[in-house]
Amino acid sequence: MDLSKKTVWAWRRDNGRVGIRNYVAILPLDDISNAACEAVAAHIQGTIALPHAYGRLQFGEDLDLHFRTMIGTGANANVAACIVIGIEGGWTQKVVDGIAETGKPVAGFWIEGNGDIATVAAASRKAKEFVHWASEQVRVECPLTDVWIAAKCGESDTTTGLASCPTVGNMYDKLVPLGLYGCFGETSELTGAEHLAAARAVSPEISAKFMKTWSAYQNDVIEAHKTSDLSDSQPTKGNIAGGLTTIEEKALGNLEKIGKQVKFIDVLEPAEAPGRGAGLYFMDTSSAAAECCTLQAAAGYVLHIFPTGQGNVIGNPIMPVIKVTGNPKTVRLMSEHIDVDVSGVVRRELTIDQAGDSLIDMIVRTSNGRSTAAEALGHREFVMTKLYRSA
């Protein structure tokens, strides 16, 4: 297939970005504003609330990450319009102003001096206006490569490194040279393959930047807080059940997601938007699925590819997650969670190249409106990353 001419039908936003969903998001600035946001979403059909656990007494780099994640979530091209609710006006307005730079409709409300009832009433009226506006936005034909695609793996096993991760890598090898924005992360899960990852950087400068990021995670997080080792965390119990006995084995399979040819062009902070043009990026993230997906969505990625062995059920409220597996048992026992079955690879009935094509076909179908398994099952995991304890 000539992928350079492949198109999808999606929403072109005012800032030029392409969204494949059209949400009106109700975004709480902080944990104590969750109830108000969920009340608005309950009153106004066509909206989605994004409750989370943080936003109070954070400071420094941790607070910067919080704002970056909040603003990035509201700015994501899958969000047509956004309501922000916080306990007070100052920080609420900061998030509103950041989202407004995209040109999309956004409004902020705060509870102090107003109370929940008045705040919910006012926000509900504005949310209803936004739903009417968003519902009349029309899909337009867009190049497939305008759809920003992120990836991570979860509940990995031996089939992940043999089939589902190489399938994702094949997709990136085909689409990134045509102008796709891609992203991979999972800093700790590259342990043992970090030298191989560094060698895939586009330049010595980016390679050094990657190693600095990886080393900081190892020194400041892993070595500082581990007990004897990372047992039951890396690898997880599910990884071990699937035949991965060490983090090094897991890392070698994980790295297959970036393909055989593409080099990554920059290293991003958590939730940092890519700034060097089209290409593959590495983002410093946790290996926890919900955290990683939340950070990548906040960076602007609108579609996620999730290879899994044992069967991770992760979803995201604003970024569709396509689940890929090469494990025949998972296909049989957890079929409702799987979008792309590449188990034919391990049976030698399917090549990696053919598997990559089937994934690209599912990317097109999902971009055109097909609900992913995670969406159909109501998985909307939204988990903020916190760097250190609050003040």
Side-chain angles (χ1 to χ4, degrees):
M1 67 179 88
D2 186 356
L3 295 174
S4 65
K5 297 180 181 178
K6 200 72 175 175
T7 60
V8 298
W9 290 88
W11 289 273
R12 179 77 68 178
R13 305 303 182 190
D14 285 355
N15 62 353
R17 291 291 317 285
V18 165
I20 61 172
R21 296 295 184 265
N22 200 42
Y23 297 115
V24 175
I26 315 298
L27 185 63
L29 172 74
D30 46 66
D31 54 351
I32 56 178
S33 300
N34 288 339
C37 287
E38 290 174 306
V40 173
H43 292 156
I44 308 301
Q45 299 303 300
T47 65
I48 181 171
L50 306 177
H52 59 84
Y54 299 130
R56 298 292 289 164
L57 300 176
Q58 293 178 248
F59 62 96
E61 185 179 356
D62 189 43
L63 181 60
D64 290 341
L65 174 58
H66 182 80
F67 279 127
R68 193 160 66 242
T69 306
M70 288 284 96
I71 292 170
T73 298
N76 187 287
N78 285 343
V79 176
C82 188
I83 298 287
V84 183
I85 299 178
I87 186 61
E88 54 81 34
W91 283 10
T92 302
Q93 193 60 46
K94 181 173 181 176
V95 173
V96 169
D97 291 344
I99 296 171
E101 292 181 7
T102 65
K104 73 179 61 179
V106 57
F109 302 87
W110 46 93
I111 299 168
E112 282 185 355
N114 298 299
D116 270 16
I117 294 174
T119 301
V120 169
S124 295
R125 291 188 182 96
K126 181 57 70 173
K128 180 174 178 291
E129 291 179 22
F130 285 173
V131 167
H132 287 305
W133 178 85
S135 67
E136 292 190 291
Q137 302 306 298
V138 178
R139 290 180 184 262
V140 297
E141 193 170 15
C142 305
L144 171 60
T145 50
D146 280 2
V147 178
W148 289 16
I149 302 174
K152 83 168 298 294
C153 51
E155 286 298 295
S156 302
D157 62 13
T158 53
T159 69
T160 309
L162 293 171
S164 54
C165 278
T167 295
V168 178
N170 183 268
M171 177 273 294
Y172 276 145
D173 276 341
K174 289 171 177 174
L175 294 183
V176 170
L178 300 178
L180 182 80
Y181 280 72
C183 182
F184 72 108
E186 304 178 85
T187 307
S188 70
E189 280 196 9
L190 293 175
T191 300
E194 69 278 0
H195 60 298
L196 300 176
R200 294 292 298 276
V202 73
S203 68
E205 172 198 8
I206 300 304
S207 179
K209 188 176 180 182
F210 168 81
M211 286 304 300
K212 181 179 179 181
T213 299
W214 180 84
S215 298
Y217 196 92
Q218 291 294 312
N219 296 333
D220 299 342
V221 180
I222 302 298
E223 293 299 328
H225 299 289
K226 73 177 185 180
T227 51
S228 58
D229 56 24
L230 295 176
S231 295
D232 296 335
S233 177
Q234 290 286 18
T236 66
K237 288 183 182 295
N239 298 149
I240 294 169
L244 301 179
T245 60
T246 66
I247 183 60
E248 291 82 3
E249 289 178 341
K250 188 175 180 180
L252 291 170
N254 181 4
L255 199 58
E256 290 292 316
K257 291 200 304 295
I258 69 173
K260 303 297 184 184
Q261 303 167 9
V262 174
K263 294 181 179 294
F264 63 93
I265 63 175
D266 202 4
V267 175
L268 304 175
E269 293 293 324
E272 179 186 0
R276 296 199 179 196
L280 181 66
Y281 290 78
F282 171 78
M283 181 185 289
D284 183 18
T285 75
S286 164
S287 298
E291 283 189 57
C292 184
C293 287
T294 299
L295 292 171
Q296 290 173 327
Y301 291 89
V302 298
L303 181 61
H304 190 91
I305 313 299
F306 198 102
T308 183
Q310 297 292 94
N312 194 311
V313 300
I314 186 71
N316 183 270
I318 65 167
M319 179 180 65
V321 176
I322 294 176
K323 219 69 61 59
V324 185
T325 192
N327 188 325
K329 181 179 178 182
T330 300
V331 172
R332 186 173 71 253
L333 299 180
M334 299 181 65
S335 61
E336 74 271 24
H337 294 282
I338 304 304
D339 297 287
V340 183
D341 172 10
V342 295
S343 59
V345 171
V346 299
R347 293 191 299 268
R348 299 186 179 183
E349 299 169 356
L350 190 70
T351 66
I352 295 297
D353 187 60
Q354 291 169 330
D357 285 346
S358 69
L359 174 57
I360 291 171
D361 177 68
M362 183 57 69
I363 287 170
V364 171
R365 292 164 61 190
T366 303
S367 298
N368 285 337
R370 176 193 181 271
S371 293
T372 64
E375 287 178 304
L377 291 168
H379 279 278
R380 296 177 173 180
E381 287 75 26
F382 181 78
V383 178
M384 304 283 283
T385 296
K386 201 169 188 303
L387 300 180
Y388 44 76
R389 63 192 296 181
S390 303

